[in-house]
Amino acid sequence: MTRSALHELSKLLASSERTVEGSMSKAKPSKERRAVQLTLSRVTRSSSAQARQGDPPVPKDASAGPQMAPNQGAQRGRQADSGLAQDLSLMSMSEQEAILPRHRSPPGMKSSRSPPRLASKTVRATVPRGTLNSVARLLTLGRCRNVLVVAGAGISTASGIPDFRTPGTGLYANLQRYNTPFPEAIFNIDYFSNDPRPFFSLAKELYPGRHRPNYVHYFIRMLHQKGLLLRMYTQNIDGLEQMCGIPEEKLVEAHGSFASASCHLCYTPFPAEEAKKFIMTDRVPVCTFCQGTVKPDIVFFGEDLPQSYFQHTKDFPKADLLIIMGTSLQIEPFASLVNTVRSTVPRLLLNRDPVGPFQRVPLRRGDYMELGDLLDSVRKLAQILGWHQDICDLIQDEEQKVALSLQAAGVSLWRR
Ligand code: CNA
């Protein structure tokens, strides 16, 4: 078959897939729409013990082979069609890879100087097929222009902030000094009401100003600068996303931040800077209205998530690529967000270990997973995309600005 015939066939299959999906979503409420409806009621933060919406249960024994229910035939057929469409489009991509700027070939990748005109089988063998290459290709070819990033504590470990659950270094493993009866108590609103000191001593470590954003944060900013970032949803409370220059309207801080503070009983606002001064000097800020303890507006277990979180009902159906980074996906309702993109949308997990729906075997079609150190994976992806040098320049510029402003304020760098 000629290349143009392949291209036509690929286009035909892709358009028939779109038609089938369009009519299906009208026929019955989709899984993601049900998830959205569920989350529209009052939404509080909770741990993973609560029921998960989203992905169906996965057969444990993958070696037993696929087990198809009688009514699954049509669905499988549709998947096979779109898989074929994907494969066909991959073949035609070998030429398009040559469009990538030559000087930007990542280390270890073949130069695209002379694009091979080969039969399809050979082409498949020469196109790099790794996870990051596949996702980079989607971005480079302009197939993904509405990228959602979902992130957790793992993106900030390279900035020196421990995550929760990593054995040995995670906060939960080192909570003895806070004297909490169980690890989650530190973010439990009733426990805080009774004794705010453990949370305040943790807050002293996390308050913005002590840590700097790292390469991973700047990669996300680069997604924004390239016009690709639809929104970033973060569980982090360290403020490093804003510090690296991701604009406020592109960011949802789902578990709150230190940027504002209020009474934990009557919610009367309290000046955030004043609350910080109290907490940094081991004093307890008290509400001027009801004498309740004031806390930074970090969302505790059992508290409502901020209004901005509800943008997910519009964002997730719109996304065409989801990147999940450095999270154990253990905290609801945030964790279930990853199941609310359309079923055909590629999802990339960058993490040390498989989490959430990426624990299923085999992975869902369109799911990609790169395990290992996040910084390494993100750097590799940036190199493949040809963004690495731009990110390094950006970091250098930003660090220089910070150094200059500190100098102007009379603070020497080594005291930071
Ligand atoms: P978590 O449960 O601790 O999970 C972190 C995940 O990241 C784990 O799967 C780790 O394996 C992975 N990870 C950690 N470091 C790396 C690395 N260098 N490379 C690759 N993977 C890595 O944390 P979650 O974010 O899932 O939990 C949500 C909580 C954590 C939120 O409510 C936050 O408020 C809270 N938290 C935030 C911060 C912060 O703001 N920096 C720090 C600690 C905890």
Side-chain angles (χ1 to χ4, degrees):
M1 205 183 290
T2 64
R3 264 188 306 123
S4 62
L6 273 176
H7 185 62
E8 281 310 311
L9 180 54
S10 158
K11 267 177 26 192
L12 258 176
L13 283 171
S15 75
S16 74
E17 192 190 358
R18 273 199 299 277
T19 318
V20 173
E21 267 162 15
S23 55
M24 269 189 63
S25 61
K26 272 184 200 141
K28 57 179 179 134
S30 64
K31 198 170 33 171
E32 55 264 31
R33 203 174 303 164
R34 277 202 307 277
V36 164
Q37 282 164 355
L38 276 170
T39 51
L40 269 174
S41 50
R42 180 171 175 260
V43 173
T44 58
R45 178 179 169 181
S46 63
S47 71
S48 60
Q50 296 188 352
R52 289 265 163 92
Q53 312 140 7
D55 279 22
V58 184
K60 281 261 174 343
D61 183 11
S63 61
Q67 296 181 351
M68 212 185 282
N71 62 353
Q72 280 181 322
Q75 173 79 0
R76 280 288 149 99
R78 194 162 62 83
Q79 289 186 352
D81 281 356
S82 72
L84 177 58
Q86 250 179 359
D87 274 355
L88 288 170
S89 53
L90 263 181
M91 287 177 203
S92 62
M93 276 176 210
S94 63
E95 282 104 302
Q96 298 185 43
E97 267 217 336
I99 300 167
L100 285 167
R102 281 169 196 161
H103 64 280
R104 290 183 171 176
S105 290
M109 262 180 76
K110 282 198 170 169
S111 158
S112 51
R113 213 162 281 266
S114 47
R117 294 183 149 270
L118 302 169
S120 56
K121 266 189 183 167
T122 330
V123 170
R124 281 175 68 87
T126 52
V127 173
R129 296 299 299 255
T131 292
L132 297 179
N133 282 299
S134 305
V135 175
R137 197 177 288 125
L138 292 171
L139 284 165
T140 314
L141 295 178
R143 293 198 174 190
C144 302
R145 296 170 192 273
N146 290 301
V147 182
L148 282 179
V149 174
V150 159
I155 70 166
S156 292
T157 51
S159 295
I161 306 175
D163 66 2
F164 265 177
R165 291 180 176 80
T166 295
T169 58
L171 282 172
Y172 281 167
N174 294 295
L175 277 176
Q176 296 88 338
R177 62 195 155 118
Y178 299 125
N179 272 331
T180 55
F182 52 96
E184 281 88 353
I186 205 147
F187 287 115
N188 179 300
I189 195 65
D190 298 327
Y191 188 84
F192 175 87
S193 207
N194 192 42
D195 183 5
R197 286 167 305 174
F199 171 69
F200 284 160
S201 64
L202 173 67
K204 278 171 79 174
E205 289 178 43
L206 287 178
Y207 252 113
R210 295 182 56 140
H211 303 276
R212 295 290 306 150
N214 64 62
Y215 191 96
V216 180
H217 297 98
Y218 282 103
F219 173 84
I220 301 161
R221 171 161 165 194
M222 190 53 69
L223 273 173
H224 163 62
Q225 284 189 201
K226 302 274 179 194
L228 298 169
L229 183 67
L230 175 59
R231 201 107 45 214
M232 174 183 195
Y233 285 74
T234 184
Q235 299 165 93
N236 291 351
I237 52 179
D238 54 32
L240 295 185
E241 296 88 356
Q242 290 214 33
M243 212 179 283
C244 85
I246 297 169
E248 216 174 319
E249 70 274 11
K250 287 284 171 182
L251 187 63
V252 172
E253 293 174 314
H255 293 167
S257 77
F258 288 97
S260 57
S262 54
C263 171
H264 88 288
L265 288 178
C266 71
Y267 302 107
T268 302
F270 190 91
E273 271 309 307
E274 193 125 335
K276 181 177 178 181
K277 274 187 207 153
F278 270 88
I279 293 168
M280 294 311 252
T281 51
D282 297 322
R283 291 174 297 149
V284 174
V286 173
C287 175
T288 47
F289 185 69
C290 77
Q291 303 296 304
T293 304
V294 166
K295 79 168 179 57
D297 290 335
I298 305 297
V299 181
F300 277 31
F301 293 116
E303 285 197 307
D304 291 349
L305 271 66
Q307 275 307 308
S308 59
Y309 173 78
F310 294 96
Q311 291 179 83
H312 77 84
T313 57
K314 289 193 182 129
D315 286 347
F316 279 69
K318 216 193 281 176
D320 49 27
L321 173 64
L322 175 64
I323 305 181
I324 303 154
M325 297 173 157
T327 170
S328 61
L329 292 180
Q330 290 282 310
I331 297 189
E332 295 292 358
F334 192 93
S336 288
L337 281 182
V338 304
N339 297 319
T340 61
V341 288
R342 286 167 293 132
S343 63
T344 47
V345 169
R347 303 185 292 190
L348 168 65
L349 173 72
L350 303 174
N351 208 41
R352 199 170 278 139
D353 24 57
V355 293
F358 292 82
Q359 292 170 85
R360 55 190 289 169
V361 181
L363 282 179
R364 188 200 76 158
R365 170 183 61 115
D367 276 355
Y368 299 89
M369 177 163 70
E370 180 80 7
L371 300 182
D373 185 69
L374 190 53
L375 206 57
D376 291 343
S377 305
V378 171
R379 198 180 289 128
K380 251 189 259 170
L381 180 57
Q383 279 167 340
I384 300 170
L385 288 164
W387 298 357
H388 176 66
Q389 197 48 52
D390 291 348
I391 295 175
C392 292
D393 293 346
L394 187 59
I395 295 175
Q396 206 177 352
D397 286 354
E398 291 296 319
E399 289 305 310
Q400 241 161 29
K401 274 189 222 161
V402 174
L404 284 174
S405 64
L406 284 175
Q407 257 170 23
V411 182
S412 63
L413 277 180
W414 61 267
R415 277 172 54 201
R416 271 203 294 150

